Amino acid sequence: MSPETLVIEVDPLNPQREVISRAAEIIRAGGLVAFPTETVYGLGADALNSRAVKKIFVAKGRPLDNPIIVHIAESGQLKVLADSVSAEAVALAERFWPGPLTLVLKKSARVPDTVTAGQHTVAVRMPGSNVALALIRASGVPIAAPSANLSQRPSGTTGRHVFQDLAGRIDLVLDAGPVEIGVESTVLDISTQPPTILRPGAVTVEDLESILGKVALGGHAELLKRSPGTRHRHYSPKAKVTLVAGKSQPEVARLLEQRAAAGRKVGVMTLRPDLYRGKQGVVVAAMSQDLREYARQMFASLRELDEAGVDEIIVEEVEEKGIGVAIMDRLRRAASGK
Ligand code: TXA
Ligand code: MG
């Protein structure tokens, strides 16, 4: 499709105007541009151009029944995409945009079925990254963008990860170095009552309840029905992922010894790297106690351990508080292969 993938470095805070215009031209011409958002890198196409959006599915190997988030740069663009904009939607947008919150609303006729995978709702967010906002403005259209990784793989959090997965499949990577947050946006369905979190992220239940009152957390069956993306394999490194309850260093040590005895190379993502460094056949990824920092490191660590050629990755669970809820959601999916 795109034999040559160009990589251009861009300043994350003050994106160079000529770089942005070049990227916007590609979007307007129906091409694919990967760009940084504050959560993870996105793989963008003109959201109103069905043929361009189809290329995203091909480039990622994404199942056609998994709808894509549309990114906007002005709240006014919401009116073009949504059938109607409730007072609730306005309040959420005012409080959390630009930022890591995606709203699912009834869609307007303008949004192609390719974007929504045939659903009657559309997912919209205004990303909090200057590069993303500049690109959307310069393109003059909303930009449909899933995470910029091959389907099933951990999301890309640096330009290098994106290039590793998508070189030869897309036109351009705007490389602004590592992202700020590291896990994908919170997806909140406000098309039904009560509002339901379909995917946890950096905007937490508590944050949302401060505006909305009660918010539901999507249960498993409901997620399958309402957020098709959740039924597919996700966030998977090549190695098998095994979760171990937090603060159980003896259990981690026991597993590492057992695997080593079986001649397997094992990675460990741990808050206590000092305990495991220097052990035969063990590759250590030191994770931060600070869960915001942990989130920034998580996908990169899964990729690095893969690159080190480990057969299995043992991960200590983290406390499910604040962004820890989103971290555990991704780790569980990585471990379950779902
Ligand atoms: O932070 C993010 O959200 C990143 C950046 C690039 O913005 N994007 C991202 O996109 O994570 P993706 O495609 O990897 O995940 C989008 C999720 C999927 O679980 C998908 O099923 C869900 O949002 N989704 C999209 N449209 C939906 C809709 N109309 N109804 C329910 N779920 C939807
Ligand atoms: Mg994704």
Side-chain angles (χ1 to χ4, degrees), residues 40 60 62 66 146-149 153 155 184 199 234-235:
V40 298
K60 288 194 52 153
R62 182 179 180 95
N66 193 1
S147 51
N149 50 274
R153 304 265 301 136
S155 299
E184 308 81 352
R199 180 179 70 183
H234 255 93
Y235 314 115

Side-chain angles (χ1 to χ4, degrees), residues 20-296:
I20 295 297
S21 342
R22 190 159 172 190
E25 248 166 63
I26 295 174
I27 295 285
R28 279 197 302 272
L32 299 185
V33 175
F35 60 95
T37 80
E38 80 282 37
T39 56
V40 298
Y41 275 71
L43 176 56
D46 175 354
L48 304 178
N49 176 344
S50 189
R51 281 177 59 183
V53 173
K54 271 191 195 137
K55 291 184 191 168
I56 294 179
F57 287 92
V58 175
K60 288 194 52 153
R62 182 179 180 95
L64 288 168
D65 64 356
N66 193 1
I68 298 179
I69 297 172
V70 181
H71 297 69
I72 60 176
E74 328 282 344
S75 299
Q77 287 179 293
L78 192 53
K79 289 203 289 281
V80 179
L81 303 168
D83 177 44
S84 66
V85 181
S86 63
E88 208 169 50
V90 171
L92 289 164
E94 268 175 14
R95 170 70 180 79
F96 297 108
W97 285 356
L101 175 67
T102 295
L103 298 178
V104 174
L105 320 98
K106 298 232 160 56
K107 83 177 201 73
S108 78
R110 287 294 298 282
V111 184
D113 284 340
T114 15
V115 171
T116 62
Q119 304 216 66
H120 63 281
T121 53
V122 62
V124 184
R125 89 174 185 104
M126 187 189 295
S129 121
N130 288 356
V131 176
L133 292 170
L135 178 63
I136 300 163
R137 286 195 189 110
S139 303
V141 288
I143 295 184
S147 51
N149 50 274
L150 282 175
S151 198
Q152 306 186 359
R153 304 265 301 136
S155 299
T157 52
T158 67
R160 195 175 71 89
H161 296 159
V162 176
F163 190 76
Q164 280 171 342
D165 272 20
L166 299 174
R169 296 167 170 263
I170 66 176
D171 299 295
L172 173 66
V173 179
L174 291 179
D175 184 352
V179 296
E180 226 179 283
I181 294 180
V183 286
E184 308 81 352
S185 62
T186 304
V187 178
L188 179 72
D189 188 345
I190 52 169
S191 71
T192 52
Q193 283 299 328
T196 305
I197 295 179
L198 301 181
R199 180 179 70 183
V203 172
T204 63
V205 188
E206 295 78 26
D207 292 336
L208 293 169
E209 288 188 336
S210 73
I211 303 264
L212 295 174
K214 195 75 198 135
V215 172
L217 251 177
H220 187 63
E222 205 176 358
L223 285 184
L224 289 186
K225 198 167 69 205
R226 288 161 68 170
S227 190
T230 55
R231 84 173 142 248
H232 299 292
R233 199 177 154 79
H234 255 93
Y235 314 115
S236 309
K238 292 169 193 126
K240 165 184 156 77
V241 175
T242 304
L243 276 174
V244 176
K247 306 203 174 73
S248 29
Q249 279 89 21
E251 175 62 2
V252 173
R254 191 188 67 77
L255 285 175
L256 291 179
E257 254 159 53
Q258 192 192 67
R259 304 305 196 249
R264 291 164 68 87
K265 190 170 175 186
V266 200
V268 59
M269 281 168 65
T270 175
L271 306 188
R272 293 290 311 277
D274 50 306
L275 294 178
Y276 312 111
R277 280 215 174 100
K279 284 207 195 282
Q280 176 73 23
V282 177
V283 185
V284 178
M287 304 304 289
S288 175
Q289 310 264 358
D290 171 355
L291 291 185
R292 298 217 161 247
E293 180 58 25
Y294 188 113
R296 274 193 282 278

